[in-house]
Amino acid sequence: MGATVSQYRMQDPTKQYPGPEFGRQPQEAPGLAQAMSPKPDHGETSYQGFGRLKGRRALITGADSGIGRAVAIAFAREGADVALNYLPSEEQDARQVVGLIREAGQKAIALPGDIADEAFCRRLIDDSRAQLGGLDILVNVAGKQHFVEHIADLSTEQFEATFRTNVFAMFWLCKAALPHMPPGATIINTTSIQSYQPSPGLLDYASTKAAITAFTHALARQVIDRGIRVNGVAPGPVWTPLQPSGGQPQEKVEQFGSEVPMKRPGQPAELAPIYVVLASQESSFVTGEIYGVTGGNHLP
Ligand code: NAD
Ligand code: MG
């Protein structure tokens, strides 16, 4: 799909990418982008860099697939060196991203591991700094979403795992990174429309996203006196492995995107430019902000 779509040609955005109905396509979490149909567009064949992140050193979690992969491709083409985190089971997707970053002429440092573990998060920051020569941009994209219809069936184990992955890891990574970040550095967190308009079957997930939104607002105020900006991106439905691998029931995957005014899901490539602008000096007066990319279901 991505091969024929240009992000730069003026066109009707409602027709730019496919809408429902999609085929059922169950995968085990965390799933692979490679196994999706239609294939998501991460900007592989379309994203053009303009040198907006020249010389920057970035760590991106969840960089193997979906939104994180699109951000990694865009950052590299904008001139940044990139450390990528993902789960070891996603190596196949991650290898493709490493290849694309290197094709863009930038350093790609693969650092697989489970961010639900605090010690690993500290190591991830240390290894990124050591191998990139410093850290200017931290992008928290990794996330866990598992649909459960009734609270009676939502286990403590899942509730805790969702919070550890989505909220605790962001806290641990920000905490470890901040002492080493220079003025001009930026942190970008990934929240969701679910922070504002929670779906009943995403009780734990939506709660983590509200926590990410509040954390982003508070941390931004805390660190601006050091010249560090903190912002968030709140996507609506985006065509990524998160959804068919348990994020939604398969009947909702079939209709994915139908609930937004544009009547289609977004593609990861449509998120990346927002992360680029928030990471770059172009957004120098923007901090503590949450940027919606929702297909029309505006925030809050
Ligand atoms: P995705 O499945 O492509 O990316 C999520 C990534 O999280 C995975 O690739 C995996 O590498 C990582 N991850 C999960 N658990 C991890 C763990 N314990 N340790 C390390 N990494 C782990 O899906 P995506 O949709 O691109 O998700 C990216 C972010 O966007 C998530 O925070 C998600 O909540 C958010 N988001 C997605 C949508 C959507 O509709 N797809 C909507 C709003 C927000
Ligand atoms: Mg993945």
Side-chain angles (χ1 to χ4, degrees):
M1 169 201 351
T4 54
V5 176
S6 167
Q7 291 174 278
Y8 304 98
R9 182 170 52 79
M10 187 170 156
Q11 60 193 292
D12 178 349
T14 66
K15 301 192 170 63
Q16 193 167 336
Y17 287 108
E21 178 162 319
F22 299 107
R24 295 188 174 212
Q25 44 194 295
Q27 293 196 53
E28 284 289 304
L32 289 176
Q34 293 175 19
M36 291 184 74
S37 169
K39 292 262 178 290
D41 184 3
H42 312 90
E44 286 93 339
T45 61
S46 58
Y47 191 90
Q48 285 174 32
F50 299 98
R52 295 191 282 179
L53 298 175
K54 210 166 175 1
R56 304 289 215 290
R57 301 153 299 184
L59 166 61
I60 306 168
T61 65
D64 58 299
S65 60
I67 297 166
R69 178 189 188 128
V71 172
I73 293 168
F75 276 24
R77 292 189 187 166
E78 296 289 356
D81 289 333
V82 179
L84 309 82
N85 166 254
Y86 49 91
L87 286 165
S89 66
E90 300 173 299
E91 192 61 39
Q92 254 180 292
D93 272 353
R95 279 295 117 206
Q96 296 182 337
V97 185
V98 165
L100 288 160
I101 294 170
R102 292 187 180 151
E103 269 171 41
Q106 298 302 134
K107 232 189 234 180
I109 315 288
L111 299 170
D114 184 352
I115 59 169
D117 178 72
E118 182 174 6
F120 175 75
C121 285
R122 281 198 301 263
R123 256 197 336 273
L124 181 56
I125 296 295
D126 288 347
D127 292 349
S128 302
R129 288 175 48 227
Q131 297 192 50
L132 294 172
L135 191 62
D136 306 307
I137 306 169
L138 168 62
V139 190
N140 290 303
V141 184
K144 176 179 170 62
Q145 175 185 331
H146 194 86
F147 175 91
V148 176
E149 198 166 345
H150 294 296
I151 189 169
D153 301 320
L154 179 55
S155 68
T156 301
E157 289 70 28
Q158 177 175 324
F159 199 84
E160 184 173 338
T162 307
F163 268 83
R164 288 181 85 83
T165 309
N166 298 5
V167 181
F168 286 37
M170 170 188 64
F171 163 59
W172 293 325
L173 292 169
C174 289
K175 187 173 179 179
L178 273 163
H180 309 286
M181 296 182 104
T186 56
I187 295 176
I188 306 169
N189 296 324
T190 306
T191 175
S192 169
I193 186 89
Q194 289 289 324
S195 168
Y196 305 94
Q197 297 165 33
S199 300
L202 296 175
L203 199 57
D204 54 338
Y205 175 82
S207 304
T208 66
K209 294 295 164 177
I212 294 168
T213 298
F215 181 96
T216 302
H217 291 318
L219 187 65
R221 285 175 176 264
Q222 194 179 111
V223 300
I224 193 56
D225 60 354
R226 290 187 43 215
I228 297 172
R229 297 183 297 112
V230 185
N231 290 291
V233 176
V238 186
W239 190 244
T240 73
L242 190 74
Q243 305 297 350
S245 69
Q248 304 285 344
Q250 289 299 314
E251 61 273 18
K252 290 225 170 123
V253 170
E254 287 179 331
Q255 297 305 324
F256 196 59
S258 59
E259 72 279 20
V260 306
M262 287 207 196
K263 303 279 182 242
R264 66 165 179 88
Q267 292 292 325
E270 297 177 285
L271 276 292
I274 308 304
Y275 285 81
V276 168
V277 117
L278 290 175
S280 91
Q281 202 62 32
E282 292 167 306
S283 58
S284 50
F285 203 48
V286 181
T287 196
E289 200 61 73
I290 306 293
Y291 197 120
V293 189
T294 64
N297 281 340
H298 59 82
L299 313 179

